[in-house]
């Protein structure tokens, strides 16, 4: 039987987070965009609710363990589904604020998948509910290696009990404020993907510094940092998964980077759904309140079709996210479905924001109008975690396997 219903506990989570997004997140949206930051008091409040602590309380579908391992009352894994419910709701409140919640962020999945028990305990152990916001981050992208993940140039040279890291990472979300970054580097460029390794690099490690903080078109409240590694000495204990993980001949580091996307792409896609819903809500209310009263009826058909198409596409995008997240929870390979959800949801969200601006006319272009901000924010959702083109390549490779 195909079941499209959320469980009662998932519905409760959604209601609680929807309330928080409406009452606490949305009022910050425009102000945080202008200030390029999110108030500390807000982050502390979000932690009290269990958002961004790295572990989730039972009320939010958690079991107090590392994020992603949550189970429902029947013991079924539901971490990915809970994440996409939270992602859609908070991104509806604000697409930049959702990226600033304390917690392991994109750095969580690689530690969860590849880390040893000791590394998980050290990495996730910092996210206590003690009211102090802390972050993890994921540092893969380099100036000359974004979509082309296999082409990373940062190097890791073994030296006794250490690895010496050299290179630069760029556009890293929360990278400067993070207590640790999962940093990808190569031990041997000639080995291509097989030479990739992932390291836990803690703040304060000698040779690790923060470069510039980016000034961006959108998501301005979210920190995007450049990270610099100059003879940065990292202990072998911080090689994610330990040396055995890579001795098996597996493309350990590259697989870690890619596997991360199987659970994070549906989450980012769900956030895009939240953005689309936010823009839809603004324009829907605007039309109901103003448009039909003052404009010729002939335009009604154009509006009606646009509104219906928006609703239809948002619903389809959401179902794609749910399917990809459900597969991740069930341990079913989902790379194709994760990419489909990301490619489609980002495209839908971009389209909805663009049409919303158009429908509102000059009002849509004012900084004080939420859709103007959403229009700027949404672009990045089609870029990070793999651009739309890259998602289509991933999908087609799976469809045309063997050719
Ligand atoms: C706000 C923000 C936050 C980010 N956060 C993080 C983070 O936390 N961690 C991290 O590691 N990275 C992060 N990134 C980086 C992001 O993942 C990359 O920007 C993204 O992967 C694209 O890489 P690129 O920017 O180098 O573009 P490029 O890879 O140079 O792509 C440029 C264009 O070429 C197209 N293209 C590339 N390859 C192909 C191909 N084979 N076929 C067809 N078209 C192609 C792309 O689709 C795109 O249109 C972030 C980026 C931004 C903007």
């Amino acid at each position: 039987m195909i079941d499209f219903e959320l469980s009662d506990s998932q519905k409760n989570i959604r209601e609680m987070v929807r309330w928080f997004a409406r009452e606490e997140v949305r009022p910050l949206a425009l102000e945080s965009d202008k200030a390029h930051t999110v108030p500390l008091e807000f982050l502390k409040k979000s932690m009290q609710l269990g958002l961004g602590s790295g572990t989730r309380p039972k009320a939010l579908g958690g079991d107090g363990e590392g994020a992603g391992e949550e189970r429902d009352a029947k013991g079924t894994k539901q971490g990915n589904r809970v994440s996409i419910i939270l992602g859609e709701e908070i991104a509806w409140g604000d697409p930049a604020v959702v990226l600033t919640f304390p917690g392991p962020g994109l750095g969580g999945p690689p530690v969860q998948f590849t880390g040893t028990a000791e590394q998980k305990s050290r990495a996730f152990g910092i996210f206590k509910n003690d009211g102090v916001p802390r972050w993890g981050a994921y540092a893969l992208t380099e100036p000359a290696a974004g979509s082309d993940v296999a082409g990373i140039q940062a190097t890791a040279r073994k030296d006794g009990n250490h690895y010496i890291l050299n290179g630069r990472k760029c556009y890293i979300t929360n990278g400067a404020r993070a207590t640790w970054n999962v940093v990808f580097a190569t031990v041997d460029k000639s080995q291509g993907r097989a030479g990739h390794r992932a390291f836990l690099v803690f703040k304060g490690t000698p040779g690790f510094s923060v470069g510039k903080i980016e000034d961006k078109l959108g998501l301005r409240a979210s920190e995007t940092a450049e990270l610099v590694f100059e003879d940065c000495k990292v202990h072998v204990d911080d090689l994610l998964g330990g040396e055995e993980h890579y001795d098996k001949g597996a493309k350990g580091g590259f697989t870690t980077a890619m596997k991360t996307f199987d659970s994070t792409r549906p989450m980012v896609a769900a956030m895009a759904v939240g953005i689309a819903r936010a823009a839809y809500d603004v324009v829907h209310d605007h039309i109901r309140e103003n448009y039909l009263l003052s404009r010729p009826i002939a335009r009604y058909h154009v509006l009606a079709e646009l509104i219906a198409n928006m609703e239809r596409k948002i619903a389809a995008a959401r179902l794609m996210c749910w399917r990809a997240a459900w597969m991740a929870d069930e341990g079913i390979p989902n790379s194709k479905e994760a990419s489909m959800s990301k490619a489609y949801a980002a495209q839908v969200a971009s389209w909805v924001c663009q049409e919303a601006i158009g429908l509102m006319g000059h009002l849509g272009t004012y900084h004080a109008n939420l859709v103007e901000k959403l229009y700027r924010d949404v672009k990045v959702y089609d870029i990070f975690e793999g651009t739309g083109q890259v998602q289509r390549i991933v999908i087609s490779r799976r469809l045309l396997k063997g050719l």
Side-chain angles (χ1 to χ4, degrees), residues 106 138-143 145-148 170-173 216 219 224 380 383-390 393:
L106 287 184
Y138 176 89
L140 177 66
T141 304
E142 298 179 4
S147 303
D148 177 23
C170 54
Y171 315 123
I172 308 306
T173 303
K216 309 185 295 297
L219 301 182
T224 311
V380 176
I383 295 177
F384 60 11
E385 292 282 301
T387 66
Q389 282 97 333
V390 166
I393 291 170

Side-chain angles (χ1 to χ4, degrees), residues 152-174:
I152 56 169
Q153 299 293 308
T155 54
R157 178 174 53 81
K158 183 89 187 280
D159 181 15
N161 277 338
H162 290 85
Y163 281 89
I164 311 298
L165 266 54
N166 278 289
R168 274 169 189 272
K169 296 289 171 182
C170 54
Y171 315 123
I172 308 306
T173 303
N174 298 321

Side-chain angles (χ1 to χ4, degrees), residues 182-253:
V182 173
V183 179
F184 293 84
T186 173
V187 287
D188 181 356
K189 287 181 195 168
S190 71
Q191 283 187 39
R193 296 164 181 190
H196 289 197
R197 300 288 183 273
F199 298 90
L200 263 179
V201 181
F202 284 79
K203 204 174 196 165
T205 305
F208 167 41
S209 60
V210 174
K212 64 179 169 184
I213 303 293
E214 301 293 344
D215 184 10
K216 309 185 295 297
L217 165 77
L219 301 182
R220 293 168 77 82
S222 163
E223 176 196 272
T224 311
E226 179 191 32
L227 309 181
V228 183
F229 302 89
E230 289 167 319
D231 289 335
C232 172
K233 211 169 163 183
V234 179
H235 197 273
V236 284
D237 288 349
D238 290 325
L239 173 66
L240 214 54
E243 304 216 291
E244 328 65 76
H245 177 66
Y246 303 90
D247 288 343
K248 291 173 205 149
K251 294 173 184 168

